[in-house]
Tab-separated table of all heavy atoms in Angstrom:
chain	number	residue	atom	x	y	z
Q	446	MET	N	2.243	-0.114	-16.232
Q	446	MET	CA	2.035	-0.166	-14.800
Q	446	MET	C	1.269	1.112	-14.398
Q	446	MET	O	1.501	2.190	-14.924
Q	446	MET	CB	3.348	-0.215	-14.104
Q	446	MET	CG	3.227	-0.318	-12.581
Q	446	MET	SD	4.791	-0.597	-11.735
Q	446	MET	CE	5.534	1.010	-11.819
Q	447	LYS	N	0.332	0.944	-13.450
Q	447	LYS	CA	-0.455	2.065	-12.995
Q	447	LYS	C	-0.422	2.051	-11.446
Q	447	LYS	O	-0.653	0.996	-10.831
Q	447	LYS	CB	-1.906	1.985	-13.472
Q	447	LYS	CG	-2.791	3.073	-12.947
Q	447	LYS	CD	-4.232	2.885	-13.442
Q	447	LYS	CE	-5.134	3.939	-12.816
Q	447	LYS	NZ	-6.530	3.721	-13.130
Q	448	VAL	N	-0.130	3.177	-10.844
Q	448	VAL	CA	-0.106	3.326	-9.403
Q	448	VAL	C	-1.196	4.268	-8.986
Q	448	VAL	O	-1.301	5.348	-9.497
Q	448	VAL	CB	1.260	3.832	-8.906
Q	448	VAL	CG1	1.286	3.978	-7.387
Q	448	VAL	CG2	2.391	2.901	-9.356
Q	449	SER	N	-2.051	3.832	-8.063
Q	449	SER	CA	-3.134	4.631	-7.567
Q	449	SER	C	-3.015	4.787	-6.041
Q	449	SER	O	-2.659	3.858	-5.334
Q	449	SER	CB	-4.489	4.000	-7.853
Q	449	SER	OG	-4.621	3.704	-9.212
Q	450	VAL	N	-3.315	5.973	-5.545
Q	450	VAL	CA	-3.329	6.225	-4.115
Q	450	VAL	C	-4.729	6.017	-3.624
Q	450	VAL	O	-5.684	6.690	-4.064
Q	450	VAL	CB	-2.856	7.659	-3.785
Q	450	VAL	CG1	-2.950	7.929	-2.298
Q	450	VAL	CG2	-1.483	7.927	-4.316
Q	451	LEU	N	-4.919	5.057	-2.743
Q	451	LEU	CA	-6.265	4.785	-2.223
Q	451	LEU	C	-6.448	5.639	-0.946
Q	451	LEU	O	-5.600	5.636	-0.050
Q	451	LEU	CB	-6.425	3.318	-1.877
Q	451	LEU	CG	-6.211	2.378	-3.063
Q	451	LEU	CD1	-6.557	0.933	-2.673
Q	451	LEU	CD2	-7.044	2.790	-4.259
Q	452	LYS	N	-7.560	6.374	-0.895
Q	452	LYS	CA	-7.798	7.294	0.212
Q	452	LYS	C	-7.739	6.553	1.549
Q	452	LYS	O	-8.401	5.535	1.752
Q	452	LYS	CB	-9.154	7.969	0.040
Q	452	LYS	CG	-9.418	9.069	1.070
Q	452	LYS	CD	-10.677	9.801	0.790
Q	452	LYS	CE	-10.875	10.905	1.808
Q	452	LYS	NZ	-12.103	11.655	1.534
Q	453	ASN	N	-6.934	7.094	2.436
Q	453	ASN	CA	-6.735	6.522	3.787
Q	453	ASN	C	-6.316	5.075	3.751
Q	453	ASN	O	-6.618	4.303	4.676
Q	453	ASN	CB	-8.043	6.644	4.595
Q	453	ASN	CG	-8.467	8.095	4.784
Q	453	ASN	OD1	-7.631	8.993	4.832
Q	453	ASN	ND2	-9.745	8.339	4.823
Q	454	GLY	N	-5.605	4.695	2.691
Q	454	GLY	CA	-5.163	3.302	2.547
Q	454	GLY	C	-3.887	3.199	1.769
Q	454	GLY	O	-3.091	4.145	1.687
Q	455	PRO	N	-3.658	2.025	1.192
Q	455	PRO	CA	-2.393	1.733	0.544
Q	455	PRO	C	-2.256	2.317	-0.864
Q	455	PRO	O	-3.226	2.947	-1.382
Q	455	PRO	CB	-2.410	0.192	0.452
Q	455	PRO	CG	-3.875	-0.102	0.294
Q	455	PRO	CD	-4.590	0.878	1.160
Q	456	LEU	N	-1.093	2.116	-1.461
Q	456	LEU	CA	-0.902	2.351	-2.902
Q	456	LEU	C	-1.323	1.091	-3.614
Q	456	LEU	O	-0.921	-0.012	-3.229
Q	456	LEU	CB	0.573	2.629	-3.197
Q	456	LEU	CG	1.173	3.897	-2.623
Q	456	LEU	CD1	2.659	3.948	-2.920
Q	456	LEU	CD2	0.471	5.158	-3.159
Q	457	LYS	N	-2.095	1.225	-4.675
Q	457	LYS	CA	-2.473	0.094	-5.476
Q	457	LYS	C	-1.642	0.119	-6.762
Q	457	LYS	O	-1.631	1.128	-7.480
Q	457	LYS	CB	-3.954	0.164	-5.858
Q	457	LYS	CG	-4.421	-1.023	-6.730
Q	457	LYS	CD	-5.852	-0.879	-7.102
Q	457	LYS	CE	-6.287	-2.077	-7.975
Q	457	LYS	NZ	-7.617	-1.852	-8.576
Q	458	VAL	N	-0.912	-0.941	-7.001
Q	458	VAL	CA	-0.085	-1.041	-8.204
Q	458	VAL	C	-0.612	-2.113	-9.106
Q	458	VAL	O	-0.672	-3.297	-8.737
Q	458	VAL	CB	1.387	-1.369	-7.824
Q	458	VAL	CG1	2.278	-1.428	-9.066
Q	458	VAL	CG2	1.914	-0.370	-6.822
Q	459	ASP	N	-1.096	-1.687	-10.280
Q	459	ASP	CA	-1.587	-2.639	-11.258
Q	459	ASP	C	-0.512	-2.840	-12.349
Q	459	ASP	O	0.124	-1.899	-12.783
Q	459	ASP	CB	-2.851	-2.107	-11.972
Q	459	ASP	CG	-4.018	-2.046	-11.030
Q	459	ASP	OD1	-4.464	-3.127	-10.624
Q	459	ASP	OD2	-4.511	-0.963	-10.701
Q	460	GLY	N	-0.252	-4.097	-12.682
Q	460	GLY	CA	0.661	-4.402	-13.761
Q	460	GLY	C	2.136	-4.386	-13.346
Q	460	GLY	O	2.997	-4.280	-14.225
Q	461	ALA	N	2.424	-4.545	-12.094
Q	461	ALA	CA	3.812	-4.612	-11.644
Q	461	ALA	C	4.445	-5.896	-12.177
Q	461	ALA	O	3.837	-6.919	-12.232
Q	461	ALA	CB	3.920	-4.590	-10.100
Q	462	ILE	N	5.673	-5.783	-12.588
Q	462	ILE	CA	6.424	-6.949	-13.098
Q	462	ILE	C	7.197	-7.607	-11.955
Q	462	ILE	O	7.226	-8.831	-11.837
Q	462	ILE	CB	7.377	-6.564	-14.224
Q	462	ILE	CG1	6.552	-6.000	-15.422
Q	462	ILE	CG2	8.246	-7.734	-14.663
Q	462	ILE	CD1	7.401	-5.382	-16.498
Q	463	ALA	N	7.812	-6.785	-11.101
Q	463	ALA	CA	8.585	-7.316	-9.998
Q	463	ALA	C	8.718	-6.211	-8.948
Q	463	ALA	O	8.638	-5.042	-9.225
Q	463	ALA	CB	9.969	-7.765	-10.457
Q	464	LEU	N	8.902	-6.638	-7.699
Q	464	LEU	CA	9.195	-5.747	-6.600
Q	464	LEU	C	10.493	-6.237	-5.980
Q	464	LEU	O	10.688	-7.422	-5.765
Q	464	LEU	CB	8.106	-5.785	-5.512
Q	464	LEU	CG	6.791	-5.155	-5.867
Q	464	LEU	CD1	5.787	-5.380	-4.737
Q	464	LEU	CD2	6.954	-3.636	-6.104
Q	465	VAL	N	11.395	-5.288	-5.699
Q	465	VAL	CA	12.684	-5.625	-5.100
Q	465	VAL	C	12.794	-4.895	-3.750
Q	465	VAL	O	12.533	-3.713	-3.692
Q	465	VAL	CB	13.832	-5.255	-6.002
Q	465	VAL	CG1	15.168	-5.535	-5.352
Q	465	VAL	CG2	13.717	-5.948	-7.354
Q	466	GLN	N	13.116	-5.664	-2.693
Q	466	GLN	CA	13.340	-5.069	-1.383
Q	466	GLN	C	14.622	-5.598	-0.824
Q	466	GLN	O	14.811	-6.806	-0.744
Q	466	GLN	CB	12.168	-5.441	-0.434
Q	466	GLN	CG	12.301	-4.812	0.932
Q	466	GLN	CD	11.147	-5.184	1.871
Q	466	GLN	OE1	10.707	-6.334	1.868
Q	466	GLN	NE2	10.654	-4.215	2.608
Q	467	ASP	N	15.507	-4.691	-0.458
Q	467	ASP	CA	16.828	-5.070	0.068
Q	467	ASP	C	17.570	-6.041	-0.858
Q	467	ASP	O	18.182	-6.998	-0.402
Q	467	ASP	CB	16.720	-5.668	1.484
Q	467	ASP	CG	16.096	-4.653	2.478
Q	467	ASP	OD1	16.330	-3.467	2.294
Q	467	ASP	OD2	15.385	-5.086	3.382
Q	468	GLY	N	17.434	-5.839	-2.139
Q	468	GLY	CA	18.129	-6.669	-3.136
Q	468	GLY	C	17.449	-7.977	-3.468
Q	468	GLY	O	17.910	-8.737	-4.327
Q	469	ALA	N	16.342	-8.289	-2.801
Q	469	ALA	CA	15.657	-9.539	-3.056
Q	469	ALA	C	14.365	-9.294	-3.834
Q	469	ALA	O	13.666	-8.331	-3.556
Q	469	ALA	CB	15.307	-10.254	-1.746
Q	470	VAL	N	14.119	-10.145	-4.826
Q	470	VAL	CA	12.898	-10.041	-5.618
Q	470	VAL	C	11.751	-10.695	-4.816
Q	470	VAL	O	11.864	-11.848	-4.384
Q	470	VAL	CB	13.035	-10.719	-6.988
Q	470	VAL	CG1	11.720	-10.656	-7.755
Q	470	VAL	CG2	14.160	-10.045	-7.796
Q	471	LEU	N	10.666	-9.916	-4.564
Q	471	LEU	CA	9.584	-10.418	-3.802
Q	471	LEU	C	8.541	-11.091	-4.693
Q	471	LEU	O	8.279	-10.570	-5.812
Q	471	LEU	CB	8.890	-9.271	-3.040
Q	471	LEU	CG	9.764	-8.440	-2.126
Q	471	LEU	CD1	8.970	-7.273	-1.521
Q	471	LEU	CD2	10.319	-9.319	-0.981
Q	472	PRO	N	7.947	-12.170	-4.255
Q	472	PRO	CA	6.881	-12.756	-5.032
Q	472	PRO	C	5.677	-11.849	-5.050
Q	472	PRO	O	5.283	-11.280	-4.012
Q	472	PRO	CB	6.561	-14.084	-4.326
Q	472	PRO	CG	7.104	-13.904	-2.966
Q	472	PRO	CD	8.227	-12.907	-3.026
Q	473	LEU	N	5.031	-11.669	-6.213
Q	473	LEU	CA	3.873	-10.820	-6.285
Q	473	LEU	C	2.622	-11.600	-5.880
Q	473	LEU	O	2.440	-12.739	-6.355
Q	473	LEU	CB	3.715	-10.290	-7.709
Q	473	LEU	CG	4.842	-9.391	-8.208
Q	473	LEU	CD1	4.573	-8.948	-9.646
Q	473	LEU	CD2	5.007	-8.171	-7.309
Q	474	PRO	N	1.816	-11.079	-4.986
Q	474	PRO	CA	0.640	-11.805	-4.493
Q	474	PRO	C	-0.506	-11.897	-5.510
Q	474	PRO	O	-1.409	-12.703	-5.338
Q	474	PRO	CB	0.213	-11.005	-3.283
Q	474	PRO	CG	0.755	-9.646	-3.485
Q	474	PRO	CD	2.003	-9.789	-4.297
Q	475	GLY	N	-0.461	-11.130	-6.579
Q	475	GLY	CA	-1.530	-11.186	-7.559
Q	475	GLY	C	-1.325	-10.116	-8.636
Q	475	GLY	O	-0.280	-9.463	-8.636
Q	476	PRO	N	-2.306	-9.932	-9.540
Q	476	PRO	CA	-2.131	-8.956	-10.611
Q	476	PRO	C	-2.134	-7.524	-10.116
Q	476	PRO	O	-1.556	-6.643	-10.737
Q	476	PRO	CB	-3.330	-9.206	-11.559
Q	476	PRO	CG	-4.297	-9.958	-10.705
Q	476	PRO	CD	-3.536	-10.706	-9.658
Q	477	ALA	N	-2.741	-7.276	-8.973
Q	477	ALA	CA	-2.677	-5.978	-8.308
Q	477	ALA	C	-1.935	-6.154	-6.997
Q	477	ALA	O	-2.160	-7.119	-6.269
Q	477	ALA	CB	-4.078	-5.446	-8.058
Q	478	VAL	N	-1.088	-5.196	-6.695
Q	478	VAL	CA	-0.265	-5.257	-5.463
Q	478	VAL	C	-0.668	-4.025	-4.626
Q	478	VAL	O	-0.750	-2.910	-5.163
Q	478	VAL	CB	1.221	-5.226	-5.779
Q	478	VAL	CG1	2.064	-5.203	-4.514
Q	478	VAL	CG2	1.604	-6.411	-6.643
Q	479	PHE	N	-0.859	-4.215	-3.352
Q	479	PHE	CA	-1.183	-3.108	-2.438
Q	479	PHE	C	-0.004	-2.864	-1.504
Q	479	PHE	O	0.343	-3.790	-0.725
Q	479	PHE	CB	-2.495	-3.435	-1.663
Q	479	PHE	CG	-3.677	-3.588	-2.571
Q	479	PHE	CD1	-4.004	-4.818	-3.149
Q	479	PHE	CD2	-4.461	-2.501	-2.862
Q	479	PHE	CE1	-5.059	-4.934	-3.993
Q	479	PHE	CE2	-5.561	-2.624	-3.738
Q	479	PHE	CZ	-5.858	-3.847	-4.288
Q	480	LEU	N	0.552	-1.680	-1.576
Q	480	LEU	CA	1.741	-1.352	-0.781
Q	480	LEU	C	1.352	-0.462	0.389
Q	480	LEU	O	0.648	0.552	0.206
Q	480	LEU	CB	2.779	-0.649	-1.660
Q	480	LEU	CG	3.290	-1.479	-2.841
Q	480	LEU	CD1	4.261	-0.643	-3.681
Q	480	LEU	CD2	3.926	-2.759	-2.366
Q	481	CYS	N	1.843	-0.790	1.571
Q	481	CYS	CA	1.527	-0.050	2.790
Q	481	CYS	C	2.017	1.364	2.755
Q	481	CYS	O	3.147	1.631	2.328
Q	481	CYS	CB	2.153	-0.762	4.002
Q	481	CYS	SG	1.842	0.068	5.567
Q	482	ARG	N	1.157	2.302	3.139
Q	482	ARG	CA	1.509	3.696	3.224
Q	482	ARG	C	1.427	4.193	4.685
Q	482	ARG	O	1.911	5.269	4.970
Q	482	ARG	CB	0.477	4.474	2.421
Q	482	ARG	CG	1.051	5.380	1.409
Q	482	ARG	CD	0.082	6.029	0.480
Q	482	ARG	NE	-1.311	6.109	0.748
Q	482	ARG	CZ	-1.995	7.257	0.958
Q	482	ARG	NH1	-1.367	8.402	0.926
Q	482	ARG	NH2	-3.274	7.217	1.154
Q	483	CYS	N	0.850	3.408	5.551
Q	483	CYS	CA	0.624	3.888	6.919
Q	483	CYS	C	1.798	3.503	7.836
Q	483	CYS	O	1.926	4.103	8.919
Q	483	CYS	CB	-0.668	3.322	7.486
Q	483	CYS	SG	-0.612	1.546	7.883
Q	484	GLY	N	2.563	2.512	7.467
Q	484	GLY	CA	3.699	2.075	8.302
Q	484	GLY	C	3.349	1.040	9.334
Q	484	GLY	O	4.232	0.573	10.104
Q	485	ALA	N	2.096	0.619	9.426
Q	485	ALA	CA	1.683	-0.308	10.489
Q	485	ALA	C	1.582	-1.774	10.029
Q	485	ALA	O	1.301	-2.639	10.856
Q	485	ALA	CB	0.368	0.160	11.070
Q	486	SER	N	1.762	-2.040	8.771
Q	486	SER	CA	1.591	-3.388	8.282
Q	486	SER	C	2.622	-4.365	8.863
Q	486	SER	O	3.822	-3.996	8.935
Q	486	SER	CB	1.684	-3.444	6.755
Q	486	SER	OG	1.646	-4.777	6.289
Q	487	ALA	N	2.228	-5.542	9.206
Q	487	ALA	CA	3.163	-6.558	9.674
Q	487	ALA	C	3.725	-7.334	8.469
Q	487	ALA	O	4.560	-8.178	8.674
Q	487	ALA	CB	2.432	-7.551	10.600
Q	488	LYS	N	3.256	-7.022	7.297
Q	488	LYS	CA	3.677	-7.704	6.058
Q	488	LYS	C	4.327	-6.729	5.078
Q	488	LYS	O	4.173	-6.877	3.875
Q	488	LYS	CB	2.526	-8.428	5.412
Q	488	LYS	CG	1.936	-9.530	6.245
Q	488	LYS	CD	0.834	-10.253	5.524
Q	488	LYS	CE	0.299	-11.378	6.397
Q	488	LYS	NZ	-0.791	-12.106	5.725
Q	489	LYS	N	5.013	-5.694	5.587
Q	489	LYS	CA	5.643	-4.683	4.708
Q	489	LYS	C	6.533	-5.382	3.687
Q	489	LYS	O	7.186	-6.360	4.015
Q	489	LYS	CB	6.447	-3.699	5.511
Q	489	LYS	CG	5.664	-2.807	6.388
Q	489	LYS	CD	6.557	-1.857	7.159
Q	489	LYS	CE	5.758	-1.166	8.239
Q	489	LYS	NZ	6.227	-1.453	9.551
Q	490	PRO	N	6.542	-4.910	2.471
Q	490	PRO	CA	5.956	-3.670	2.000
Q	490	PRO	C	4.468	-3.760	1.658
Q	490	PRO	O	3.911	-2.772	1.246
Q	490	PRO	CB	6.790	-3.350	0.746
Q	490	PRO	CG	7.081	-4.690	0.168
Q	490	PRO	CD	7.274	-5.616	1.353
Q	491	PHE	N	3.885	-4.920	1.849
Q	491	PHE	CA	2.460	-5.063	1.469
Q	491	PHE	C	1.513	-4.624	2.567
Q	491	PHE	O	1.845	-4.687	3.773
Q	491	PHE	CB	2.188	-6.559	1.131
Q	491	PHE	CG	3.050	-7.096	0.061
Q	491	PHE	CD1	4.059	-8.004	0.333
Q	491	PHE	CD2	2.942	-6.633	-1.238
Q	491	PHE	CE1	4.912	-8.464	-0.656
Q	491	PHE	CE2	3.779	-7.101	-2.269
Q	491	PHE	CZ	4.776	-8.016	-1.968
Q	492	CYS	N	0.376	-4.165	2.152
Q	492	CYS	CA	-0.705	-3.743	3.078
Q	492	CYS	C	-1.336	-5.013	3.656
Q	492	CYS	O	-1.595	-5.971	2.908
Q	492	CYS	CB	-1.742	-2.922	2.313
Q	492	CYS	SG	-3.272	-2.595	3.217
Q	493	ASP	N	-1.610	-5.030	4.958
Q	493	ASP	CA	-2.316	-6.134	5.560
Q	493	ASP	C	-3.625	-5.700	6.206
Q	493	ASP	O	-4.239	-6.455	6.995
Q	493	ASP	CB	-1.412	-6.888	6.549
Q	493	ASP	CG	-1.134	-6.038	7.818
Q	493	ASP	OD1	-1.537	-4.852	7.872
Q	493	ASP	OD2	-0.498	-6.593	8.738
Q	494	GLY	N	-4.055	-4.479	5.885
Q	494	GLY	CA	-5.296	-3.984	6.465
Q	494	GLY	C	-5.150	-3.193	7.754
Q	494	GLY	O	-6.086	-2.672	8.322
Q	495	ALA	N	-3.920	-3.121	8.271
Q	495	ALA	CA	-3.690	-2.442	9.549
Q	495	ALA	C	-4.071	-0.961	9.485
Q	495	ALA	O	-4.410	-0.386	10.531
Q	495	ALA	CB	-2.186	-2.554	9.969
Q	496	HIS	N	-4.060	-0.362	8.306
Q	496	HIS	CA	-4.414	1.065	8.211
Q	496	HIS	C	-5.822	1.322	8.738
Q	496	HIS	O	-6.067	2.352	9.352
Q	496	HIS	CB	-4.294	1.536	6.748
Q	496	HIS	CG	-5.161	0.830	5.792
Q	496	HIS	ND1	-4.799	-0.321	5.165
Q	496	HIS	CD2	-6.411	1.079	5.382
Q	496	HIS	CE1	-5.773	-0.715	4.376
Q	496	HIS	NE2	-6.779	0.112	4.503
Q	497	ALA	N	-6.719	0.382	8.512
Q	497	ALA	CA	-8.093	0.560	9.025
Q	497	ALA	C	-8.136	0.459	10.537
Q	497	ALA	O	-8.844	1.204	11.208
Q	497	ALA	CB	-9.003	-0.504	8.386
Q	498	ARG	N	-7.354	-0.490	11.079
Q	498	ARG	CA	-7.346	-0.701	12.545
Q	498	ARG	C	-6.775	0.501	13.287
Q	498	ARG	O	-7.203	0.834	14.379
Q	498	ARG	CB	-6.549	-1.956	12.895
Q	498	ARG	CG	-7.249	-3.225	12.491
Q	498	ARG	CD	-6.599	-4.470	13.131
Q	498	ARG	NE	-5.187	-4.634	12.761
Q	498	ARG	CZ	-4.769	-5.210	11.646
Q	498	ARG	NH1	-5.634	-5.707	10.796
Q	498	ARG	NH2	-3.479	-5.333	11.398
Q	499	ILE	N	-5.769	1.191	12.651
Q	499	ILE	CA	-5.118	2.319	13.360
Q	499	ILE	C	-5.778	3.655	12.996
Q	499	ILE	O	-5.398	4.697	13.510
Q	499	ILE	CB	-3.615	2.411	13.094
Q	499	ILE	CG1	-3.339	2.765	11.610
Q	499	ILE	CG2	-2.950	1.085	13.479
Q	499	ILE	CD1	-1.882	3.147	11.361
Q	500	GLY	N	-6.724	3.643	12.068
Q	500	GLY	CA	-7.423	4.881	11.686
Q	500	GLY	C	-6.562	5.807	10.847
Q	500	GLY	O	-6.635	7.031	10.960
Q	501	PHE	N	-5.701	5.196	9.988
Q	501	PHE	CA	-4.808	5.983	9.125
Q	501	PHE	C	-5.616	6.982	8.244
Q	501	PHE	O	-6.605	6.628	7.663
Q	501	PHE	CB	-3.994	5.060	8.188
Q	501	PHE	CG	-3.154	5.788	7.194
Q	501	PHE	CD1	-2.053	6.540	7.598
Q	501	PHE	CD2	-3.418	5.698	5.829
Q	501	PHE	CE1	-1.258	7.194	6.654
Q	501	PHE	CE2	-2.651	6.358	4.908
Q	501	PHE	CZ	-1.574	7.096	5.313
Q	502	LYS	N	-5.146	8.236	8.276
Q	502	LYS	CA	-5.740	9.277	7.431
Q	502	LYS	C	-4.641	9.921	6.626
Q	502	LYS	O	-3.627	10.314	7.182
Q	502	LYS	CB	-6.414	10.365	8.289
Q	502	LYS	CG	-7.477	9.874	9.221
Q	502	LYS	CD	-8.730	9.499	8.480
Q	502	LYS	CE	-9.815	9.100	9.488
Q	502	LYS	NZ	-10.833	8.272	8.871
Q	503	ASP	N	-4.836	9.997	5.292
Q	503	ASP	CA	-3.827	10.669	4.480
Q	503	ASP	C	-4.089	12.157	4.479
Q	503	ASP	O	-5.087	12.643	5.006
Q	503	ASP	CB	-3.741	10.074	3.075
Q	503	ASP	CG	-5.035	10.217	2.312
Q	503	ASP	OD1	-5.826	11.133	2.591
Q	503	ASP	OD2	-5.274	9.370	1.396
Q	504	GLU	N	-3.150	12.934	3.884
Q	504	GLU	CA	-3.244	14.372	3.956
Q	504	GLU	C	-4.502	14.935	3.342
Q	504	GLU	O	-5.081	15.873	3.839
Q	504	GLU	CB	-2.018	15.005	3.307
Q	504	GLU	CG	-0.735	14.839	4.082
Q	504	GLU	CD	0.414	15.582	3.483
Q	504	GLU	OE1	0.204	16.522	2.696
Q	504	GLU	OE2	1.537	15.165	3.754
Q	505	SER	N	-4.954	14.327	2.223
Q	505	SER	CA	-6.172	14.843	1.599
Q	505	SER	C	-7.375	14.688	2.497
Q	505	SER	O	-8.239	15.523	2.555
Q	505	SER	CB	-6.403	14.186	0.225
Q	505	SER	OG	-6.567	12.752	0.414
Q	506	ALA	N	-7.403	13.533	3.255
Q	506	ALA	CA	-8.524	13.336	4.177
Q	506	ALA	C	-8.428	14.326	5.303
Q	506	ALA	O	-9.469	14.862	5.762
Q	506	ALA	CB	-8.490	11.901	4.705
Q	507	THR	N	-7.222	14.656	5.770
Q	507	THR	CA	-7.041	15.576	6.870
Q	507	THR	C	-7.481	16.978	6.419
Q	507	THR	O	-8.140	17.697	7.169
Q	507	THR	CB	-5.560	15.630	7.305
Q	507	THR	OG1	-5.188	14.294	7.712
Q	507	THR	CG2	-5.342	16.583	8.454
Q	508	ALA	N	-7.157	17.305	5.161
Q	508	ALA	CA	-7.524	18.632	4.659
Q	508	ALA	C	-9.045	18.825	4.548
Q	508	ALA	O	-9.566	19.914	4.747
Q	508	ALA	CB	-6.900	18.879	3.283
Q	509	ASP	N	-9.748	17.693	4.279
Q	509	ASP	CA	-11.199	17.761	4.152
Q	509	ASP	C	-11.905	17.778	5.518
Q	509	ASP	O	-13.054	18.148	5.631
Q	509	ASP	CB	-11.698	16.556	3.366
Q	509	ASP	CG	-11.239	16.618	1.902
Q	509	ASP	OD1	-10.928	17.715	1.449
Q	509	ASP	OD2	-11.210	15.551	1.282
Q	510	ALA	N	-11.205	17.351	6.562
Q	510	ALA	CA	-11.853	17.226	7.878
Q	510	ALA	C	-12.083	18.569	8.522
Q	510	ALA	O	-11.509	19.561	8.237
Q	510	ALA	CB	-10.979	16.332	8.771
L	1306	LIG	S1	-1.689	1.017	4.223
L	1306	LIG	FE1	-2.651	-0.811	4.719
L	1306	LIG	S2	-1.514	-1.600	6.344
L	1306	LIG	FE2	-0.529	0.251	5.882
């Protein structure tokens, strides 16, 4: 499994076998899973693109600004 932090976006998880939330196993949407980091997704724990709409900036982007 590989986890990547996407700048100003979600965590990308490649090769996940299963995700568990509140004791329930979640169906994986595909071979790569994108997990919300901004807190604005309506489909948590998955990213739904809301980070772009709210202008989410991670710390590395803030440091560069
Ligand atoms: S990181 Fe994409 S909706 Fe939160």
Side-chain angles (χ1 to χ4, degrees):
M446 181 173 76
K447 177 182 176 186
V448 179
S449 306
V450 178
L451 301 186
K452 186 174 182 179
N453 300 329
L456 295 175
K457 180 182 180 190
V458 182
D459 291 295
I462 298 171
L464 288 175
V465 178
Q466 182 180 40
D467 298 329
V470 178
L471 302 176
L473 297 179
V478 177
F479 297 88
L480 299 176
C481 179
R482 234 173 17 116
C483 72
S486 175
K488 296 182 178 180
K489 291 180 192 118
F491 303 109
C492 169
D493 69 354
H496 60 273
R498 290 192 300 275
I499 68 168
F501 174 67
K502 302 287 184 201
D503 61 26
E504 288 185 24
S505 61
T507 301
D509 293 338

